[in-house]
Amino acid sequence: MTKKNMLIAANWKMNPAPDGFNRSDSVYRATKSVDVVVFPTYLDLHECIAAALTTGAQHGRAQEKGAFTGDVSMKMLRDKGCTYVLCGHSERRREHGETDEDVASQVQAALAAGLIPIACVGETVEDRTAGRHQDTVKKRLSALPVAEKLIIAYEPFWAIGNGKSATPADAEEMHAFIRSIPQWKNARILYGGSLNAGNAEAILRQKDVDGALIGGASLRPEEFAKIVEIAAKKS
Ligand code: PGA
């Protein structure tokens, strides 16, 4: 596999785009050695794209068009200039009841539309306590189509949005496990869940961690810039 840059993804969730996001010296721009992508709300997609940031949507619907009130299709996102799309974020699974099968159709549609999907997989705290975290992640992965462009984000549900990140060893164990599955041997695998400037170095340094999907800390431009700097050391 050719060595790829680290990928640092900013998931702004349902928050306004951070100050200065569209400036020419914005911290949300890719650097020579780090790929950066932002996931704003639908309302800010256009401004991000117009500012030449690499941009993705937080969700897209698999069907191309039709009577689906409130939804936007993968094709529409691509036509507007999005490059990436998140599929099956745990908040979508929790708040909108998205299943592994829904996520698989989204990934398929995203690929067909020419988007790069980032499929999020992770286990609950109950799964981890019961020692079935790898089985859960394997099951979620097995629902997905295999494609070179598809990026995997390992996002343990219990680590998202609460300051309790996985330990670097837990993250590496799961990333290495994912890579041990033949279909995902060469996949780009991101870690997500309370990653911040304080724990980024230890987590990003892990052998099988190819980048991060960042929520809270991505809303703070200075902190985000530090994480990109840390990623640059590994790229
Ligand atoms: P967090 O979110 O960094 O705020 O935990 C990560 C994510 O949900 O992608």
Side-chain angles (χ1 to χ4, degrees):
M1 185 175 58
T2 47
K3 176 103 177 68
K4 292 212 168 97
N5 281 352
M6 291 286 272
L7 173 61
I8 300 295
N11 177 10
W12 294 337
K13 307 193 180 185
M14 199 175 74
N15 293 291
D19 285 346
F21 74 97
N22 55 358
R23 287 207 314 246
S24 58
D25 62 348
S26 161
V27 301
Y28 299 103
R29 292 187 189 283
T31 68
K32 208 159 62 204
S33 53
V34 181
D35 297 340
V36 175
V37 52
V38 296
F39 292 91
T41 67
Y42 289 127
L43 299 181
D44 291 324
L45 281 177
H46 176 73
E47 244 186 292
C48 291
I49 293 163
L53 301 183
T54 305
T55 304
Q58 296 173 16
H59 167 69
R61 189 169 180 112
Q63 290 84 352
E64 219 172 282
K65 61 185 166 75
F68 301 107
T69 303
D71 278 353
V72 173
S73 77
M74 298 293 181
K75 181 166 182 321
M76 289 166 164
L77 294 168
R78 181 68 192 133
D79 289 348
K80 284 291 171 200
C82 284
T83 310
Y84 287 80
V85 65
L86 296 180
C87 298
H89 189 280
S90 65
E91 286 151 15
R92 299 286 314 175
R93 294 177 189 259
R94 187 185 70 214
E95 301 291 321
H96 298 268
E98 289 184 7
T99 62
D100 287 342
E101 290 65 39
D102 296 330
V103 178
S105 342
Q106 291 166 20
V107 168
Q108 199 77 62
L111 291 165
L115 290 167
I116 302 172
I118 301 183
C120 304
V121 296
E123 80 283 1
T124 62
V125 73
E126 291 80 17
D127 290 329
R128 186 157 275 272
T129 316
R132 53 169 190 259
H133 44 291
Q134 293 187 341
D135 291 345
T136 301
V137 166
K138 190 172 184 182
K139 179 172 162 290
R140 294 198 190 290
L141 287 171
S142 66
L144 298 174
V146 177
E148 207 189 314
K149 268 172 76 178
L150 170 57
I151 296 171
I152 303 297
Y154 168 54
E155 295 218 317
F157 290 13
W158 46 269
I160 296 177
N162 56 14
K164 293 184 211 145
S165 79
T167 64
D170 285 343
E172 173 57 21
E173 182 195 44
M174 185 62 86
H175 283 228
F177 170 72
I178 295 172
R179 219 182 282 293
S180 75
I181 305 170
Q183 298 92 304
W184 307 109
K185 191 164 74 118
N186 291 324
R188 238 171 162 183
I189 310 172
L190 313 181
Y191 169 77
S194 299
L195 191 115
N196 55 46
N199 60 21
E201 179 115 43
I203 293 177
L204 296 178
R205 195 194 305 133
Q206 301 301 312
K207 176 169 150 295
D208 292 296
V209 176
D210 303 317
L213 177 55
I214 307 168
S218 76
L219 291 164
R220 302 186 284 273
E222 279 177 23
E223 180 161 7
F224 188 76
K226 278 191 200 137
I227 299 172
V228 172
E229 251 174 61
I230 291 168
K233 289 192 213 154
K234 187 173 175 190
S235 281

